Amino acid sequence: MWCERPEFKGGSKEKLRDYITYFEGTCELCIGNMGINKYQEDVESLLENESSNDDEKNMLLFYIDGVIYYKISEYDKAFEKWSKAETYARKITDDVFLAKIFSYYAIIFYIKKDYDRSEVYFDEAASIFAIHRMYTELSLHYINYLWYKRYDPDKNEVSAYLDMAFYYVQLSNSIMDARVYLHLGYIYKTIFNDFIRGIGYLNIARDICFKNNNVEMESMTLHTLADGYMQLSHYYESVHIYEQLMTDKRYANITENLKCAILSNLIPCYIHIGNYEKANLYLEMMKSLTSETQVNARPYFDCLSHWLTAMMYIKKKENLDQVLPLLDSCSSFCCNSIQPIQMDSFDLKLAENYGEYWEVMGNYDRAIEYYQNMGRLAEKYTDFDRMTVCSRLSVVYEKKGEFKTALEYRKQETEHFNKIDRENILSQYDHLYKKFFKNIQDDHLKNLFETNDNLSKAVYIDELTNVHNRLYYQDFLERFGKKGNYSVIMIDLDYFKEYNDSYGHLKGDVCLKTAARIIKESIPADEYDTLCHLIRYGGEEFLILAEAYSSDEILTLAETIVKNIESARIQHKNSSVSEYLTLSAGCATGLFSSKEEMESIVTKADKALYLAKKKGRNTAVRFYGQF
């Protein structure tokens, strides 16, 4: 960092201005941990001599004291200090510091929901900065205000503010510009779902950080990049970036605040890919680091620890009696806190976890209640979030046996997916990832990406059944599938809701894993994942995409799968078909030259599946024209 305490001594005005530059240009998570108290002690010790200081020095001291209080979320104390600084700024007619103070007043009144006063101070600050052509201050003025305004319903105004921040930062030439570009990248990625533009700004931020050896802000930029990979469900890419941050000597001295923020993303990545051992290891590390974070940050990280613990219990289906108290404590904390650190869309995540909990417990109505609430919350977020909501609801309605409703949500999920240019986004992300690590030797970088390419395939694997997941199906239509003749088998386990009701959801999961294995083994080994792609389509439903299979050949394969499942003699006392588990299958064949055509084949297979169920189940039917 560019502000070093040992040189402070008597507190020269130059050093105070250095403090101001440091605190104005540094993100809260990057400010030096317990060192923030030391900075404040330096400043407040000099304020004890207020009467003997000249007016300019008192203005600087009260201003920086206010900024420090602001950084630790003590807004009332910050306002009190800035009021004193304003008095001294007026005495010496320092318009620039008046504008800086007004800029912060605008934020304070915005937080307090006094929007009229907020706008007055915002406009006055902007006017003064513009008159003096203070472009760095203008860009920070817009970006600081935007941080609190970013979720406003009026996205046109938010976008206009972003444009202004970008316009002024281009005219600036300061080490503080990295913070502006970082926040521009974050807001475009997170709020506007504009990954491409966000990536461009992140690139600029990283270059400024690298040039000025601002390692902590560079780490924050990487953190934002990895968060984007998470949003794209590419958890292994996120893991690689976060592991780099946690193990590379270059980043060894980043703050405990930032380490905890990184861990709060790394842990869910490991949970999603099923590596609970690593997740638990990092969770314990996060808990131990929390005591070394800034005092005001500790409750936030405690809350995140509770949330991550609950998430792990739900995924592992253990200690379920502890889940609701953990989630309730997080919910209570969020309701009583202003602008929690690194907790964007946390209300959405909590609603999803509550829904997951009730889904695991078999109370589908309660699960739907929380997922629908999640849907309402997702309206202010991104298409990724809305897609996740639809996916959750489609699965739980399938479990309830309400297939028509499930299909509607599945269609909505596809619509949201189609709005996201994932291939272009991932290409841009991979380019940026390589650029970030350009300082690594070529052979190391090559090995890193070879490993990454292999591991990233795991993001397409359903963690329960170990076959491809729904994301693989979507990417198959977008990127993986070859054009040509395809056949589809749509498979549904018969009366699976009744199986869960009879034997419980844990045994239901075992049954699903066994059924997936039998279906997989029914496919010729040399054709699996080359000509035949097995996908868990949702709940107890599976899909096979088969290349170059004729209509007769696909029906034969489907009949083999039907026979092999019943021959496995998996007890099912509440089935209306057999005393053993059975399945129904629908087949269709057609030409795949566009995503829409493949979806049409799948729809036809779904209609054939419907007919198989009408015929009494435990059978395979192929599609012939209109049923």
Side-chain angles (χ1 to χ4, degrees):
M1 66 186 183
W2 59 79
C3 180
E4 297 293 340
R5 287 192 59 259
E7 300 172 12
F8 185 75
K9 297 181 182 177
S12 67
K13 292 176 187 177
E14 290 75 21
K15 192 60 182 176
L16 285 173
R17 291 180 185 277
D18 194 22
Y19 272 28
I20 289 167
T21 301
Y22 174 56
F23 277 98
E24 285 182 344
T26 305
C27 298
E28 284 76 354
L29 289 171
C30 300
I31 294 172
N33 296 326
M34 303 304 290
I36 197 169
N37 297 332
K38 297 297 183 184
Y39 288 111
Q40 196 160 36
E41 286 172 12
D42 288 344
V43 171
E44 296 197 338
S45 67
L46 292 173
L47 281 173
E48 292 174 4
N49 302 318
E50 181 182 354
S51 59
S52 60
N53 295 332
D54 64 40
D55 290 340
E56 183 186 7
K57 188 167 186 176
N58 280 329
M59 177 193 72
L60 296 172
L61 285 166
F62 278 112
Y63 176 78
I64 189 58
D65 209 20
V67 173
I68 292 172
Y69 275 117
Y70 169 78
K71 291 291 186 179
I72 60 175
S73 306
E74 294 194 32
Y75 301 122
D76 290 336
K77 283 191 176 181
F79 189 82
E80 176 189 326
K81 299 294 182 181
W82 285 324
S83 296
K84 292 281 286 183
E86 180 188 352
T87 301
Y88 284 110
R90 290 188 183 279
K91 273 188 180 184
I92 62 174
T93 61
D94 191 321
D95 282 353
V96 172
F97 267 86
L98 270 178
K100 286 174 176 282
I101 293 163
F102 293 162
S103 181
Y104 280 116
Y105 282 175
I107 293 171
I108 296 295
F109 285 118
Y110 186 87
I111 291 170
K112 292 179 179 293
K113 295 182 168 52
D114 188 343
Y115 301 122
D116 289 340
R117 290 177 76 183
S118 177
E119 285 185 20
V120 168
Y121 279 114
F122 182 87
D123 291 342
E124 193 161 352
S127 176
I128 297 170
F129 286 140
I131 288 169
H132 291 276
R133 297 185 180 181
M134 302 191 69
Y135 301 122
T136 300
E137 284 75 9
L138 267 168
S139 60
L140 284 170
H141 176 56
Y142 277 96
I143 212 70
N144 288 340
Y145 197 62
L146 263 173
W147 189 247
Y148 294 88
K149 198 178 178 64
R150 64 195 188 279
Y151 285 119
D152 271 12
D154 186 353
K155 296 303 180 193
N156 289 331
E157 186 177 10
V158 174
S159 182
Y161 278 47
L162 283 167
D163 289 343
M164 293 302 289
F166 178 56
Y167 173 76
Y168 286 118
V169 79
Q170 290 178 96
L171 301 175
S172 173
N173 183 23
S174 166
I175 52 178
M176 294 190 287
D177 294 344
R179 183 167 185 265
V180 177
Y181 283 112
L182 170 60
H183 282 77
L184 283 170
Y186 179 88
I187 292 171
Y188 272 112
K189 176 184 73 68
T190 305
I191 311 304
F192 286 93
N193 207 29
D194 190 341
F195 281 73
I196 305 304
R197 192 183 302 191
I199 290 164
Y201 291 137
L202 290 176
N203 240 331
I204 298 170
R206 190 268 176 185
D207 287 344
I208 296 170
C209 292
F210 197 78
K211 177 182 174 182
N212 292 287
N213 198 33
N214 189 348
V215 176
E216 287 175 341
M217 191 77 82
E218 180 185 326
S219 303
M220 190 71 183
T221 312
L222 282 166
H223 175 39
T224 307
L225 168 70
D227 181 72
Y229 268 128
M230 280 186 70
Q231 204 168 342
L232 291 161
S233 301
H234 277 239
Y235 301 112
Y236 277 96
E237 284 86 343
S238 292
V239 165
H240 277 300
I241 296 171
Y242 283 133
E243 288 284 6
Q244 186 81 13
L245 285 170
M246 296 301 294
T247 58
D248 194 308
K249 290 180 181 178
R250 176 172 173 77
Y251 310 108
N253 295 319
I254 61 174
T255 68
E256 272 65 25
N257 295 334
L258 186 49
K259 285 177 185 175
C260 283
I262 288 166
L263 289 170
S264 71
N265 269 14
L266 179 55
I267 294 161
C269 286
Y270 276 123
I271 291 174
H272 280 297
I273 62 181
N275 191 335
Y276 300 119
E277 185 178 350
K278 272 275 195 178
N280 193 59
L281 177 71
Y282 279 122
L283 182 56
E284 292 305 312
M285 180 187 294
M286 181 177 168
K287 289 175 181 176
S288 67
L289 285 172
T290 296
S291 62
E292 299 176 42
T293 60
Q294 289 175 22
V295 174
N296 69 301
R298 292 173 197 169
Y300 303 137
F301 292 126
D302 283 337
C303 175
L304 290 173
S305 294
H306 291 167
W307 167 62
L308 292 165
T309 303
M311 183 193 294
M312 190 134 50
Y313 287 160
I314 293 168
K315 292 291 186 185
K316 293 178 73 175
K317 297 183 175 65
E318 66 180 28
N319 300 322
L320 294 175
D321 58 321
Q322 298 179 40
V323 169
L324 285 182
L326 287 167
L327 293 179
D328 288 345
S329 71
C330 295
S331 183
S332 175
F333 172 78
C334 290
C335 289
N336 296 317
S337 297
I338 299 173
Q339 206 63 34
I341 296 174
Q342 288 295 297
M343 296 175 81
D344 272 333
S345 70
F346 195 63
D347 52 354
L348 190 80
K349 293 169 185 171
L350 278 178
E352 182 175 19
N353 292 143
Y354 276 114
E356 280 186 289
Y357 168 77
W358 287 113
E359 189 177 342
V360 166
M361 298 301 290
N363 190 332
Y364 299 136
D365 290 332
R366 289 297 302 275
I368 288 169
E369 179 186 331
Y370 279 104
Y371 289 148
Q372 287 176 338
N373 181 46
M374 185 186 170
R376 288 187 286 273
L377 294 168
E379 287 306 309
K380 65 179 179 181
Y381 296 117
T382 70
D383 280 312
F384 286 98
D385 300 310
R386 291 185 276 278
M387 183 175 72
T388 300
V389 171
C390 293
S391 176
R392 290 286 186 192
L393 283 166
S394 69
V395 169
V396 79
Y397 273 112
E398 283 173 0
K399 289 181 177 179
K400 282 192 74 178
E402 297 181 23
F403 301 108
K404 197 176 229 180
T405 307
L407 182 60
E408 284 305 310
Y409 279 111
R410 195 176 298 157
K411 287 177 181 175
Q412 291 178 38
E413 178 189 358
T414 302
E415 287 170 9
H416 289 303
F417 183 91
N418 290 340
K419 292 180 184 177
I420 304 164
D421 188 3
R422 294 180 73 257
E423 184 172 1
N424 192 17
I425 291 168
L426 286 169
S427 172
Q428 294 280 344
Y429 254 62
D430 287 342
H431 174 73
L432 180 61
Y433 187 11
K434 291 171 185 175
K435 183 171 181 179
F436 265 124
F437 292 110
K438 64 186 177 185
N439 53 317
I440 301 175
Q441 291 182 356
D442 288 344
D443 56 342
H444 185 184
L445 190 61
K446 182 174 180 290
N447 292 335
L448 176 68
F449 275 91
E450 285 177 354
T451 303
N452 188 49
D453 287 341
N454 292 330
L455 290 175
S456 64
K457 294 175 184 175
V459 78
Y460 295 112
I461 300 298
D462 177 67
E463 62 183 72
L464 175 65
T465 60
N466 203 35
V467 301
H468 291 304
N469 58 20
R470 187 67 179 274
L471 180 62
Y472 178 84
Y473 168 70
Q474 299 288 5
D475 273 5
F476 187 92
L477 301 189
E478 296 282 348
R479 296 194 289 165
F480 300 155
K482 302 173 186 175
K483 309 305 180 185
N485 291 317
Y486 272 86
S487 291
V488 171
I489 307 176
M490 185 72 82
I491 297 167
D492 194 40
L493 301 183
D494 294 327
Y495 299 106
F496 192 72
K497 180 180 181 296
E498 288 76 6
Y499 187 96
N500 274 333
D501 292 341
S502 301
Y503 300 101
H505 291 275
L506 291 178
K507 284 194 175 179
D509 285 351
V510 173
C511 179
L512 276 171
K513 289 166 72 173
T514 304
R517 177 181 55 77
I518 294 167
I519 296 169
K520 181 177 178 179
E521 290 174 354
S522 301
I523 299 169
D526 60 337
E527 294 180 2
Y528 185 79
D529 248 7
T530 54
L531 295 179
C532 284
H533 307 267
L534 174 59
I535 298 158
R536 186 183 178 194
Y537 199 64
E540 67 274 18
E541 203 167 30
F542 295 87
L543 182 73
I544 294 176
L545 302 175
E547 183 183 356
Y549 266 59
S550 70
S551 177
D552 288 340
E553 289 169 336
I554 202 67
L555 180 62
T556 300
L557 176 58
E559 288 171 341
T560 300
I561 292 168
V562 169
K563 177 184 174 184
N564 289 348
I565 284 287
E566 188 173 25
S567 298
R569 301 173 73 85
I570 300 167
Q571 289 288 334
H572 188 352
K573 62 184 180 184
N574 278 343
S575 171
S576 301
V577 179
S578 167
E579 61 182 303
Y580 303 114
L581 181 75
T582 61
L583 62 76
S584 302
C587 311
T589 302
L591 182 67
F592 171 32
S593 61
S594 70
K595 182 175 67 173
E596 290 72 24
E597 286 180 339
M598 180 58 103
E599 287 176 339
S600 173
I601 304 171
V602 172
T603 300
K604 291 172 183 176
D606 201 36
K607 288 180 179 178
L609 172 62
Y610 175 75
L611 185 58
K613 291 179 180 180
K614 282 190 72 174
K615 289 179 69 175
R617 306 187 190 232
N618 192 25
T619 189
V621 171
R622 67 177 144 189
F623 180 83
Y624 283 117
Q626 297 293 322
F627 285 129

